[in-house]
Every structure is written in structure tokens, then in C-alpha cells.
Amino acid sequence: MDFTLTDEQLAVSEAANGVFSGLADPVRVRAVEQGETRIDRDLWRALADADLLGLAVPEAEGGAGHGLVELGLLLQAQGAVVAPVPLWATLVLGALPIASSGTDAQRARWLPGVVSGETMLSAALTGTAASPTSTPPVSATPAAAGWVLTGTELAVPQAHLAARIVVPAHAPGGGVVLVLVDPSAPGVTLERTVTTNREIHPHLHLDDVSVATDDVLAGPGPDGRAALDASVIAATVGLCALQVGVCESALRQTAAYLNARKQFGRPLSTFQATLLRAADAAIDIEAMRVTWLNAAWRFDTGRDAADAARVAKWQASERGQRAVHATQHLHGGVGADVTYPIHRYFLWGKQLELLLGGPSAQLSHLGRRIAERAKAGATASAAAVP
């Protein structure tokens, strides 16, 4: 398989890295983390001015019409500087489902604002991401003009900034309905929660919240479950791309530290133990990179990307945690200093490892899928025997 990026994709990567490297640095990131909303609004505006927020928005709504690969390259650039902006929440969790499942009116209402940087979005996927067959924790009851939602979704990424939150809910009869919820609507409560990497992911409490038919993206028939599954796949792949950016930058900074730091009159980078540890991390990062690119390519070309996304997430979780731990360890005692920049990369790596299911959850589901296919194949073979 050829993972060479196209000229357009290279241009996206270069533009994204240029904006992030020019506007995000440890001092600025730390100042934003100490704020109330924890978003770098100047950086967000710069991303909009560079036409990067509309990468995967259809051209009809003012976007560039690209896919998940290009979004992943943008997220990878964000991870390289661990920038506090809601890219994953807005562009992957929110805008992609609206672009793929929304009506013309819904796309026209919300997506131009995403492109301009005026609208931020999110989605509540924590309760259903661990298993695609699980029932959403929010219930939907039919009403005269739409649905009434009740339940709680935990840790909704940057929900406090979102104009709308994509919420999956289970409907009577076992179907799934995907709706847009207004965080300021009556009955909606956001409970502030700070994550491992210092972002704000509030818990979303819904108490008899009315949602009009105009705010239904998909469902409650099979299209609702399909839209939810696609959202989880895209969200998972986006996390993997972020993790590559985090780990790659952490390793690059570690290499510079090892070259500058001396022990016994020699740079630390000349010692075999440090060389091997860094080399293992580099190998881990390359495995993470090819698996997220494979999953994103499958998603963009309409192929089944469910298993590929889970393989990529296992790689990003297992190898990603190992890589950021190695970079912190190679910094020695200074790596444990919570004010030192490399510690922030460790926190991001840990957060991304567990978000939407850690390595054990991914392997468990992949194992079930393999067993199910083996059983189906055995059954088909037995039925074919005269």
C-alpha cells in the first residue's frame, strides 16, 4: 500500500504546521490552560483565516470538500504543539456527521459557521464508543414535534464551547436516533469536568429535553445506527492522528535534549541505552502512522473501516503510551516536573490512550469480531456439505 501523500495533502500538512508552529508555544499553551474556557481564540481565528477549519466541509457550504485523511493531518499538526483548540470536537465529532447525515437546511445552518470559525460543535460518544452494539445512555421518547431526551453522557469534549452537540439516543424498539442538542436549552445541564490533559469535557445531563424534528440528523431506523457507527469510526481515527502528532513531537524534543545534555563528558544521545529507547519509540510512531492513514483512507473511499479504526486505536493507545512514557523517562528527573513542556505531552498521550476506549477494549472487540466471522464461516461451510 502506498502511503505517499498527494500534493494537496502535503499542502494541508505544511499550512497546518505553519500556523501551529507560529502561534503555539509552551508559554502560550500554559497561559490558556490557566484560563476559564481553555481555548486559544487567537489561534482558532488564525486557523479559520487560513481556510483550515473547512477542510472536510462540502464545497457547497464554503469548505474544501476534503476527507478524513486531510483532517487527520490537521489534527497531527495540532498534536505536535498540544494546542488548546477544539479541532477534534468541532470538525470530526460535530461537522462530519452534519455533512454526511444532515439535511440541506442543517448543513446550511451550521457548516458555514464552522468554516468561518464562528461555530463550535461537539458530540457525545463516550457511552457508545466502547462497543458499536451498546445502547446509548440517553433515551429518546417520541413527542408531537420531535423527541424528548433523558439521560447523561459523560465527558463530552469541549461541550461548554459548542453551539450544538450531536447526541445519540436509543428510541423505543431498539433504534438509534442522532440529534442536535442545544446546550442552552431548558433541561440541559453541563457539569464542568477537567480531563487528564487539562481540557474541559463537561458531563451532559438531559432532563426531558425537547428536540424538534428539524434537529434530527438520522434515525430512528437503520440509518441512525449507521450514522452513529460512522461517527465513532471517524472520531477514533482522528484521535489516532492526534496521538501521532503528540508522540512525534515529544520524541523530536527528546532527541534535542539528549544531544545537548552530557554525562561523563559525552552527550546522552551517544549511549546505547538511550539510543535503543528512542529508536523503539520511533518504530512505535511509524506503526501508529500507517494504521491511522489506512483507516482514514478506507473511510474516505467508502470501504469498511471499522476494524481498521480499532487496529489504529490499539496502536495509538498501546504504542502511544509507551512512546510518551519513553520520552518523559529519557528526560530524567526533569521529565516529572509538571511545569516542564515534555510533561504536557505525557498527559496528552495518556488522555488519548484511553479516550473512546483503551487498548484492552479495542482488542476485546476485535477478538469478538474475529470469533464471529470464524463461526459464520464454519456455519456456511457446514451448510454447503451435501
Side-chain angles (χ1 to χ4, degrees):
M1 185 174 292
D2 184 5
F3 289 104
T4 304
L5 299 179
T6 66
D7 290 341
E8 284 189 330
Q9 290 165 347
L10 286 171
V12 167
S13 181
E14 290 172 2
N17 281 295
V19 172
F20 280 114
S21 62
L23 291 176
D25 59 65
V27 174
R28 183 168 179 157
V29 171
R30 185 179 181 186
V32 173
E33 287 177 346
Q34 294 172 346
E36 181 68 19
T37 58
R38 306 205 177 170
I39 172 178
D40 188 335
R41 294 191 180 275
D42 291 337
L43 176 55
W44 189 254
R45 170 52 50 196
L47 291 167
D49 292 343
D51 295 325
L52 290 171
L53 297 184
L55 279 178
V57 171
E59 293 180 6
E61 279 70 48
H66 292 306
L68 191 55
V69 170
E70 290 76 13
L71 273 185
L73 295 172
L74 178 61
L75 291 166
Q76 194 170 291
Q78 178 193 6
V81 293
V82 290
V85 286
L87 272 182
W88 180 64
T90 296
L91 304 190
V92 182
L93 300 188
L96 276 186
I98 294 175
S100 60
S101 302
T103 63
D104 291 342
Q106 289 168 338
R107 289 194 291 269
R109 182 180 182 186
W110 298 113
L111 296 184
V114 170
V115 176
S116 67
E118 298 173 359
T119 299
M120 299 176 193
L121 304 166
S122 189
L125 300 180
T126 305
T128 54
S131 172
T133 60
S134 62
T135 301
V138 173
S139 63
T141 304
W147 299 86
V148 175
L149 305 184
T150 301
T152 295
E153 277 279 8
L154 301 178
V156 179
Q158 284 115 348
H160 63 300
L161 302 171
R164 287 294 184 276
I165 302 171
V166 179
V167 177
H170 67 271
V176 173
V177 59
L178 210 62
V179 301
L180 294 171
V181 171
D182 182 354
S184 63
V188 179
T189 303
L190 294 179
E191 180 186 350
R192 183 183 175 91
T193 305
V194 179
T195 63
T196 299
N197 67 340
R198 302 165 182 159
E199 290 182 331
I200 299 173
H201 290 195
H203 299 326
L204 175 67
H205 303 288
L206 305 173
D207 185 11
D208 292 335
V209 177
S210 297
V211 177
T213 304
D214 291 344
D215 285 327
V216 175
L217 286 178
D223 60 324
R225 172 57 71 174
L228 174 57
D229 291 346
S231 295
V232 172
I233 290 171
T236 300
V237 176
L239 288 178
C240 299
L242 260 173
Q243 185 76 302
V244 169
V246 169
C247 295
E248 193 169 42
S249 181
L251 183 59
R252 189 180 300 115
Q253 293 175 53
T254 301
Y257 175 84
L258 294 176
N259 283 329
R261 184 81 172 182
K262 292 184 177 181
Q263 191 174 68
F264 306 114
R266 295 167 51 194
L268 284 175
S269 58
T270 63
F271 289 84
Q272 187 179 47
T274 58
L275 282 172
L276 292 177
R277 191 81 186 275
D280 286 343
I283 293 170
D284 282 337
I285 292 168
E286 286 308 305
M288 293 157 54
R289 189 195 315 280
V290 296
T291 49
W292 90 251
L293 282 169
N294 174 56
W297 169 77
R298 294 187 67 87
F299 185 89
D300 285 344
T301 55
R303 293 171 169 81
D304 182 4
D307 286 351
R310 290 193 175 274
V311 168
K313 185 58 167 68
W314 179 83
Q315 297 278 4
S317 296
E318 182 78 6
R319 294 179 184 268
Q321 192 278 337
R322 193 160 61 207
V324 293
H325 183 268
T327 60
Q328 186 186 44
H329 191 199
L330 287 171
H331 274 79
V334 74
D337 182 351
V338 298
T339 65
Y340 194 75
I342 204 66
H343 186 75
R344 183 177 288 106
Y345 286 82
F346 176 80
L347 295 180
W348 272 67
K350 194 64 181 176
Q351 172 74 14
L352 294 171
E353 173 198 353
L354 300 176
L355 199 55
L356 298 188
S360 296
Q362 307 305 328
L363 286 182
S364 176
H365 178 70
L366 286 168
R368 286 197 300 270
R369 293 265 293 186
I370 292 171
E372 289 168 0
R373 284 198 291 266
K375 182 178 180 180
T379 302
S381 298
V385 175

